[in-house]
Every structure is written in C-alpha cells, then in structure tokens.
Amino acid sequence: ARGLDIANCRVLDVCCGTGLVGQELAARGFKQITGIDFSESMLEMAADKKVYTELQNFDINNHADLPK
C-alpha cells in the first residue's frame, strides 16, 4: 500500500497457527508481527519460523482480553 511504513507497522496475526501468514508478512517486509493462537503446539511451530516479535496463547472467543 502506498504510504504505508511497512517496517514500522504493527501487525496482529490472529489464529496464527503454524506461522505461514507471519512468514509471508515478513517476506514482504513487515517487522513487528504479533501472533496469537489457542494451541500451544501451533505457537511452538510459529516460533520456529522466527518472524514474530511476540507470540501469545489466546482464545479469540474471549475477545475482551485481546492484546493491545
């Protein structure tokens, strides 16, 4: 997107799973990617991609506690 500062844009990858979307975002230049998922095993696989600045275990059904 024109005018978007990709390197400094903060992205929240909801239900990040194994980290495939995070990997694609990083390949496109995004640097500040937070991933959330309910599954600890999926978060472990996402961490292996080494593209997330933060990963959190989170149930999206409890949206009141959504990371800010």
Side-chain angles (χ1 to χ4, degrees):
R2 190 172 287 240
L4 181 65
D5 184 1
I6 291 174
N8 292 309
C9 180
R10 293 177 57 201
V11 177
L12 178 61
D13 185 359
V14 178
C15 300
C16 64
T18 62
L20 294 177
V21 170
Q23 200 170 30
E24 183 63 28
L25 288 166
R28 293 175 183 258
F30 289 89
K31 306 259 185 248
Q32 297 183 46
I33 309 167
T34 297
I36 60 174
D37 200 282
F38 185 69
S39 169
E40 284 290 340
S41 62
M42 291 288 197
L43 288 170
E44 289 173 14
M45 288 186 262
D48 289 342
K49 304 285 191 292
K50 303 205 184 311
V51 297
Y52 291 93
T53 52
E54 182 179 4
L55 287 165
Q56 291 185 22
N57 180 270
F58 185 79
D59 180 359
I60 64 168
N61 292 312
N62 189 8
H63 56 81
D65 293 330
L66 193 64
K68 293 175 178 50

